[in-house]
Amino acid sequence: MFNFNRITAVIATALLLAPTLPLEARTKKGDKFLGEGRVHEEKREWDAALDAYEKALSEDPGEIVYQMAAEKTRFQAAQNHVNQGIKLRSKGQLGEAMLEFQKAYTINPGSSVAVQEIGRTQEMIVRERKRVAETGQEAPPEQRGLTPAEEVKKQTQDKIDRILPAPELRPLNPEPLKNLTIHNQTSKVLFETVAKVANITVLWDPEYQPPSRNSFNVDFENTTLEQALDNIAVITKSFWKPMSPNTIFITNDNPNKRRDYAEMVAQTFYLANVASAQEIQEIVNAVRSIAEVQRVVAFTSQNAIIVRGEADQVALAAKMIHDLDKPRAEVVVDILVMEASSIFKRQVTAAIASTGLNVPISFTPRSGLSVVTNPGTSTTTGTTGTSTTGTAGENTTGTTGTGTTGTTGTTTGSSTATYGVPLSNLHYLNGSDFAVALPSALLQATLSDTKTKVLQAPQLRMVDNVKAELKIGERQPTATGSFQPGIGGVGINPLVNTQFNFIDVGVNVTILAHVHDNADVSMHIDLDISTVSGHVNLGGIDQPIIGQRKISHDVRMHEGEINLLGGLTNLQESKQVTGIPGLSSIPLLRRLFSGESVDKERGELMIVIVPHIVRSPDVTAGNLRGIAVGNQQTIKLSYSPKPGDVVTGPAAAAAVLGPNVPTASALPPAMPAAGNPPVTAPAINPPQQTVPAMVPGSPAPGMPPGMPPGTVPGMPPGMTTPATAMSPPATAPPVTGPPMTAPPATAPPTTDQPATTPPAGNARVLFSPAQMETRVGAPINVAVVLDNGTDVASAPLTVRFDPKVLKLNSVLRGDFLASDGQQPVFSNNVLPDSGIATIQLNRQPGTPGVNGGGVLVTLQFQAIGRGSTVVNLQGVTVRNSQGLPIATGAPQMQINVQ
């Protein structure tokens, strides 16, 4: 039996240990290869890792660990070769890519992506062979690397890129019409005359009907071509549109012709700041109503709006979408709930009767007295002899004079309450028959002083006009009702038929905020701070008692302002005195006969709210600027000249010029000496036919005899031009300097002074001051100063700034270029949305430059947002009177707005 027990224990131990041991032990050599593979795998050397795992698997093909490691690495290694092949193929290396895809297939024959890439690459190789056979040369690497599908997509994209926008008129002569007067001419003559001046072509509608009035008068003074055409179209009730940069089409202006010939434009606008489909639909409704575009579609999944309409309608829609697609303002609200409570309790009791005198007296008769009890019961007490017991309902007392032993008999009735002693035995009563319970002495003194401070400070960030909620706490169940089942029964659990609701207990905040552009914040606040103050049993269900502090409030505050949202001060004092009347009022001794309890409770609650604007409304001056949109029937937009257009003459001061546009002062001097014929500067625009200016009363050069004086060749009769009617478009602007009889300051030097080119000096342009700190809303004046200048004649400037931090209100000309009394030509164009200001500052042509240093311009900014920003001058090139650069650079200044 002993041996059997030992064998059983050994078998049981083996069975317990059997599941923890592998069915087949791994080999040491296989484990070595497994470790090497894991090292390579960590380094992402997939080929080496796969080789190590396959070696381990060859040592023990049945080991599941080796199998799992090899299969996982096989997939990674094949995918790595596929990725390498795609990179090589994108560079045009098709042969190397094919090798990589074949390696991937060799490693993992089940890789479908490797099979696909092999077929795709083979197709590309065949395509390149055909191309070489046809053209005799290979395609560029980026073209060879295109898959067939990518090549088709590229062709489609190229075709899309070649789609032209709506034609925009770009005449060969961009100069404005100056002092052009046409009298008593028809509508066709007016259009053709202006077209000939600007060197553009006019196409007429075959169905064009001239207005009933057959003669019109126009007078253009520094008017652009588009403005002149618009003016003529208004008075002749005609409609024109550009067909190409130098061709226009003219027809009658009526709804039918506009529907037939008005240029239609389709454009997709991607919105960057909307957050919901409702906002997109609101923008669509606004565009459809204001721009009168009927074909407007919202594509919600891409936050896009597709618009199709006339060119001016789509341009107006673009302006509206740009103005409405703004990031919403955001605000962070700090809520401080401060609560302090103090509870003071004091109880002093050191008395014989602290709660008053309440002395009970009990009657305890001695033996030998007959006590009358309830009817039906008689108790007889005797000292000697034998007592006789009567019948029920009869009280009997007997006494004998002899005997040493008495016997007491008792008859029990309906009650045992004692009523008293018979009158015949009253004379036997004395003090020993009564008992008095005297009060016990008490000494008690307790003091309790509790102070509590609670601070809850939730913080909530929200978007403008979007409700934000914050709930921190628990949800307490409360019974809200019950229902009676159809069949009653005994022992049904009442909880089964009771309906519960859950109440949020803790800090619950709901805020709807709106940020105004003057840094004010309007808020609707629902604040509920609740706690479970106790429980009560109602109908057998334990219900929580919720103590709450709730505020619902609408308030408007300034950013950073601290506002008391609500407060409560609670003070409660109670004093209780107990004792014996009279004795409790005796000085000194009253403490022995009285007790005193004092309770003081004080609670203070204050709720404070502080808003902080983290993103203000991004409304710029361009958004608030009104634009001309045509009349009631037709939407027509007008555009100012683009930056970079060449505008000369008196209109240069009011035109918009680009930073690198050549001006009269930047051209090489072309003023000859007195008596020599004027020499024009090289043509800025391509050579074109020009119309020479005419002198009033003299025939035009080359005109046949008999033509009216003042007639321009190639123009209809009746059009007259003063001497300054038109400037030759292919020549430099006319010089407005000193008379030709006097040698100009830039005339060629005499023989006594050899002609030399003034070398570029050490002039430099800088900001003054170079760094500034200010606050939001404060004005900022920055001067652009030139130092150590020699023969300074022009200083075109391009200022760049951050429009979210700074607003450029105005640009004031400095007095440096006017230090000798000659007023320079000054113009500026401020683009507030883009943060770019283009400034042209030139001396009058033919006047010498100035020397020294001084203020070129003064920039008047206003800080509109917090942050650190840089104002810089982009590509500054200050030139002398000969057009040579004397100062270049890109100065910067730092502005910190608090």
Side-chain angles (χ1 to χ4, degrees):
M1 180 61 67
F2 177 73
N3 293 333
F4 176 78
N5 292 337
R6 293 184 61 183
I7 293 173
T8 302
V10 171
I11 294 175
T13 303
L15 293 176
L16 291 175
L17 295 177
T20 62
L21 298 177
L23 297 177
E24 185 176 355
R26 292 176 292 183
T27 64
K28 293 183 178 180
K29 195 172 183 180
D31 289 344
K32 177 184 177 182
F33 290 133
L34 179 65
E36 293 178 357
R38 288 175 176 173
V39 172
H40 291 298
E41 184 178 353
E42 291 178 356
K43 297 179 180 180
R44 297 189 176 276
E45 299 172 351
W46 301 112
D47 291 345
L50 178 61
D51 183 64
Y53 290 149
E54 288 181 343
K55 290 180 180 179
L57 192 61
S58 64
E59 296 293 332
D60 189 357
E63 176 54 45
I64 187 64
V65 176
Y66 301 161
Q67 295 177 6
M68 293 175 59
E71 291 301 323
K72 181 182 68 173
T73 309
R74 190 184 313 278
F75 171 80
Q76 294 289 351
Q79 190 64 32
N80 182 54
H81 283 287
V82 170
N83 296 336
Q84 293 295 330
I86 293 176
K87 291 181 180 179
L88 292 173
R89 189 177 63 190
S90 63
K91 298 178 181 179
Q93 302 175 11
L94 302 182
E96 294 83 349
M98 177 63 78
L99 293 177
E100 292 292 334
F101 295 141
Q102 291 175 350
K103 289 179 181 178
Y105 179 76
T106 303
I107 293 174
N108 185 12
S111 175
S112 58
V113 65
V115 176
Q116 293 174 354
E117 297 300 336
I118 289 174
R120 188 176 291 121
T121 306
Q122 188 174 2
E123 184 178 354
M124 296 169 63
I125 293 174
V126 173
R127 180 192 64 189
E128 291 305 314
R129 289 176 179 174
K130 290 182 179 180
R131 181 178 297 167
V132 172
E134 294 175 357
T135 62
Q137 58 182 2
E138 292 185 352
E142 59 273 7
Q143 187 174 356
R144 292 200 307 267
L146 295 176
T147 64
E150 291 174 348
E151 187 176 19
V152 174
K153 291 181 180 178
K154 185 177 184 302
Q155 294 174 357
T156 304
Q157 184 62 42
D158 293 341
K159 188 175 181 180
I160 293 174
D161 295 339
R162 291 197 306 270
I163 297 176
L164 297 176
E168 186 176 354
L169 191 59
R170 293 180 179 272
L172 297 178
N173 182 10
E175 295 184 358
L177 306 178
K178 295 173 289 184
N179 301 329
L180 176 60
T181 302
I182 307 175
H183 293 296
N184 300 323
Q185 296 298 326
T186 63
S187 60
K188 285 192 174 183
V189 172
L190 296 180
F191 279 112
E192 290 177 351
T193 301
V194 173
K196 286 184 179 296
V197 173
N199 285 339
I200 62 174
T201 304
V202 179
L203 299 179
W204 292 94
D205 182 9
E207 300 178 356
Y208 179 78
Q209 296 294 332
S212 58
R213 180 181 175 183
N214 57 5
S215 63
F216 301 91
N217 299 324
V218 294
D219 187 4
F220 299 118
E221 176 68 27
N222 289 328
T223 306
T224 63
L225 175 60
E226 288 83 358
Q227 293 172 349
L229 295 175
D230 289 340
N231 295 339
I232 297 175
V234 170
I235 63 176
T236 61
K237 292 183 170 45
S238 302
F239 164 64
W240 72 274
K241 74 167 189 175
M243 299 292 293
S244 68
N246 60 348
T247 305
I248 62 173
F249 174 82
I250 301 176
T251 185
N252 294 109
D253 190 4
N254 55 63
N256 293 332
K257 291 297 183 181
R258 282 189 173 270
R259 183 175 59 252
D260 294 339
Y261 293 106
E263 196 72 32
M264 301 295 289
V265 176
Q267 188 172 355
T268 303
F269 301 93
Y270 292 92
L271 308 179
N273 300 295
V274 298
S276 64
Q278 180 182 357
E279 294 177 286
I280 299 179
Q281 190 60 43
E282 290 177 355
I283 295 178
V284 168
N285 296 337
V287 169
R288 183 180 289 117
S289 300
I290 303 302
E292 298 182 357
V293 183
Q294 299 301 322
R295 294 176 175 86
V296 185
V297 178
F299 192 67
T300 309
S301 63
Q302 293 291 334
N303 281 358
I305 297 177
I306 305 172
V307 182
R308 179 177 179 267
E310 296 183 11
D312 287 334
Q313 290 178 336
V314 176
L316 179 58
K319 169 71 166 57
M320 295 180 59
I321 293 174
H322 174 267
D323 292 344
L324 297 177
D325 185 23
K326 297 286 186 181
R328 287 194 176 187
E330 295 186 48
V331 60
V332 173
V333 179
D334 291 330
I335 302 174
L336 304 178
V337 181
M338 293 170 283
E339 183 178 3
S341 63
S342 176
I343 301 175
F344 178 81
K345 293 183 179 181
R346 185 185 65 188
Q347 184 176 2
V348 178
T349 303
I352 298 176
S354 60
T355 59
L357 188 60
N358 185 9
V359 180
I361 301 176
S362 59
F363 177 57
T364 55
R366 294 167 289 118
S367 300
L369 296 178
S370 297
V371 180
V372 179
T373 60
N374 288 333
T377 302
S378 176
T379 302
T380 303
T381 302
T383 56
T384 58
T386 303
S387 62
T388 303
T389 303
T391 61
E394 182 178 324
N395 298 327
T396 306
T397 302
T399 303
T400 59
T402 60
T404 57
T405 303
T407 302
T408 301
T410 303
T411 302
T412 303
S414 60
S415 177
T416 59
T418 301
Y419 288 105
V421 179
L423 294 175
S424 58
N425 292 336
L426 289 177
H427 61 282
Y428 293 108
L429 296 175
N430 55 31
S432 59
D433 296 324
F434 298 91
V436 178
L438 296 178
S440 59
L442 176 65
L443 176 61
Q444 181 179 358
T446 60
L447 178 64
S448 176
D449 190 357
T450 304
K451 295 182 179 180
T452 305
K453 295 180 181 180
V454 178
L455 173 63
Q456 293 174 322
Q459 190 179 63
L460 192 59
R461 176 168 179 164
M462 65 212 68
V463 180
D464 184 73
N465 281 335
V466 177
K467 183 184 294 185
E469 293 184 351
L470 175 65
K471 294 183 179 182
I472 302 176
E474 302 174 349
R475 304 196 73 192
Q476 289 289 335
T478 58
T480 57
S482 60
F483 64 92
Q484 182 67 31
I487 301 176
V490 180
I492 297 179
N493 190 345
L495 295 179
V496 176
N497 302 325
T498 303
Q499 299 173 352
F500 288 89
N501 191 14
F502 288 85
I503 300 176
D504 294 320
V505 178
V507 179
N508 303 307
V509 183
T510 302
I511 301 179
L512 179 63
H514 174 64
V515 181
H516 302 273
D517 57 358
N518 60 347
D520 281 1
V521 182
S522 296
M523 292 175 287
H524 175 77
I525 304 172
D526 290 325
L527 177 63
D528 184 4
I529 301 177
S530 55
T531 57
V532 178
S533 59
H535 291 80
V536 61
N537 190 285
L538 299 177
I541 300 176
D542 193 26
Q543 298 274 33
I545 300 175
I546 308 298
Q548 67 177 4
R549 300 169 179 85
K550 187 174 183 179
I551 293 177
S552 183
H553 196 49
D554 288 281
V555 63
R556 176 167 177 165
M557 303 171 54
H558 194 70
E559 194 270 340
E561 180 183 354
I562 300 175
N563 185 30
L564 178 62
L565 198 63
L568 174 65
T569 300
N570 182 25
L571 179 61
Q572 179 179 352
E573 294 186 6
S574 61
K575 182 177 181 180
Q576 182 179 3
V577 179
T578 59
I580 302 175
L583 297 179
S584 61
S585 301
I586 300 175
L588 300 179
L589 297 179
R590 65 185 183 87
R591 294 292 185 185
L592 299 177
F593 304 98
S594 65
E596 182 179 284
S597 177
V598 177
D599 293 341
K600 294 182 180 180
E601 296 184 9
R602 181 182 180 89
E604 295 182 358
L605 174 66
M606 184 171 64
I607 301 175
V608 177
I609 184 171
V610 185
H612 304 282
I613 298 177
V614 296
R615 180 184 286 120
S616 59
D618 188 16
V619 179
T620 63
N623 303 138
L624 302 176
R625 180 174 60 92
I627 60 175
V629 294
N631 53 42
Q632 181 71 24
Q633 301 297 329
T634 305
I635 292 179
K636 180 68 174 67
L637 303 184
S638 301
Y639 299 90
S640 62
K642 290 184 176 180
D645 290 347
V646 179
V647 181
T648 60
V656 181
L657 298 179
N660 299 318
V661 176
T663 60
S665 62
L667 295 174
M671 294 296 296
N676 295 331
V679 180
T680 59
I684 300 175
N685 296 317
Q688 56 186 326
Q689 184 179 359
T690 62
V691 181
M694 300 299 300
V695 179
S698 61
M703 293 294 295
M707 292 297 292
T711 303
V712 180
M715 293 191 177
M719 190 193 78
T720 60
T721 62
T724 58
M726 292 166 288
S727 300
T731 61
V735 178
T736 58
M740 295 296 296
T741 56
T746 59
T750 62
T751 56
D752 296 335
Q753 297 178 356
T756 58
T757 301
N762 296 325
R764 60 173 182 166
V765 179
L766 62 151
F767 283 105
S768 178
Q771 187 174 3
M772 180 179 295
E773 293 188 0
T774 183
R775 57 182 179 82
V776 175
I780 304 173
N781 293 330
V782 180
V784 179
V785 180
L786 176 66
D787 185 24
N788 196 22
T790 303
D791 191 24
V792 180
S794 66
L797 306 174
T798 301
V799 183
R800 288 189 175 271
F801 57 93
D802 187 353
K804 295 183 179 180
V805 180
L806 300 176
K807 176 184 178 183
L808 182 56
N809 293 326
S810 61
V811 180
L812 303 179
R813 179 179 61 82
D815 56 357
F816 174 63
L817 291 185
S819 57
D820 60 349
Q822 295 287 339
Q823 296 298 322
V825 177
F826 171 70
S827 64
N828 67 88
N829 178 39
V830 180
L831 303 177
D833 295 341
S834 303
I836 301 176
T838 303
I839 304 169
Q840 288 294 326
L841 190 60
N842 308 309
R843 295 273 293 176
Q844 292 288 348
T847 59
V850 294
N851 302 324
V855 178
L856 296 176
V857 293
T858 300
L859 308 176
Q860 293 185 343
F861 291 100
Q862 183 179 4
I864 61 174
R866 291 185 173 89
S868 179
T869 184
V870 175
V871 179
N872 59 68
L873 295 178
Q874 184 178 12
V876 177
T877 302
V878 180
R879 299 179 181 271
N880 58 14
S881 59
Q882 298 181 4
L884 301 177
I886 60 174
T888 59
Q892 296 181 351
M893 74 165 298
Q894 183 81 20
I895 298 179
N896 298 321
V897 182
Q898 301 296 330

